[in-house]
Amino acid sequence: KRGYVTAGKWTPEAVIEHPEAVRQLHREFVRAGSDVCQTFTFYASEDRIDRAHGAGKHGVYPINKAACEIAKEVAKPAGCLVAGGLSQTNCDDRDTARAQFEEQLTVFKEQGVDVMFCEYFERVEEAVWAVEAVKKCMPGTPIC
């Protein structure tokens, strides 16, 4: 947690408010032998950051963009891949969830991440919607 946790267990706004701390954490993962740097974007969907103690003041796009830039800055010189992390939305209907996924995916596509992680979904339906959104927005991108 390193003293930066304000939004609960996950603090995506740290990529904007404390970028050097996030950068250093990526460096430590690379030095420890990681082949992939995952963007610090868990909990960075619209509905999640709006509920996260002011994290929403930065917005989905800026948080996801900063997370991608930091991960790429550390990963690429080390020969590592960059994985975008698609955050759950907590939406109950497919159209709303997919719209939020597509908002997040816009940044990952622009930033050219190597692979997309769709993880920690509480409902199978939402995991399926996430994978569908990646296939639509980023065809050919590996999905984990």
Side-chain angles (χ1 to χ4, degrees):
K1 295 183 180 182
R2 300 181 184 221
Y4 302 109
V5 177
T6 59
K9 296 179 182 178
W10 303 281
T11 310
E13 72 272 15
V15 298
I16 291 177
E17 296 175 2
H18 306 286
E20 187 50 42
V22 175
R23 197 173 286 111
Q24 183 59 34
L25 193 52
H26 279 301
R27 287 185 193 116
E28 291 174 24
F29 288 139
V30 169
R31 279 195 289 263
S34 179
D35 294 322
V36 179
C37 287
Q38 182 177 352
T39 59
F40 282 39
T41 51
F42 187 76
Y43 226 72
S45 63
E46 182 180 329
D47 70 316
R48 294 289 180 170
I49 64 170
D50 283 345
R51 294 185 294 154
H53 310 290
K57 67 186 174 195
H58 300 298
V60 172
Y61 188 92
I63 287 174
N64 283 280
K65 183 176 185 224
C68 287
E69 290 172 344
I70 292 168
K72 283 180 10 181
E73 177 186 330
V74 175
K76 293 306 178 180
C80 297
L81 299 174
V82 175
L86 193 59
S87 180
Q88 60 182 322
T89 67
N90 203 36
C91 296
D92 291 328
D93 72 277
R94 180 178 186 255
D95 292 338
T96 303
R98 285 195 58 180
Q100 287 193 28
F101 291 141
E102 290 175 14
E103 180 180 18
Q104 295 173 67
L105 289 164
T106 297
V107 180
F108 297 127
K109 183 176 182 176
E110 289 173 0
Q111 293 292 314
V113 300
D114 301 300
V115 61
M116 284 302 306
F117 285 172
C118 301
E119 62 177 337
Y120 192 72
F121 288 94
E122 296 173 7
R123 295 183 337 267
V124 172
E125 297 86 1
E126 190 176 16
V128 170
W129 301 336
V131 171
E132 289 172 351
V134 175
K135 288 180 176 181
K136 175 186 174 191
C137 296
M138 300 175 69
T141 301
I143 304 169
C144 296

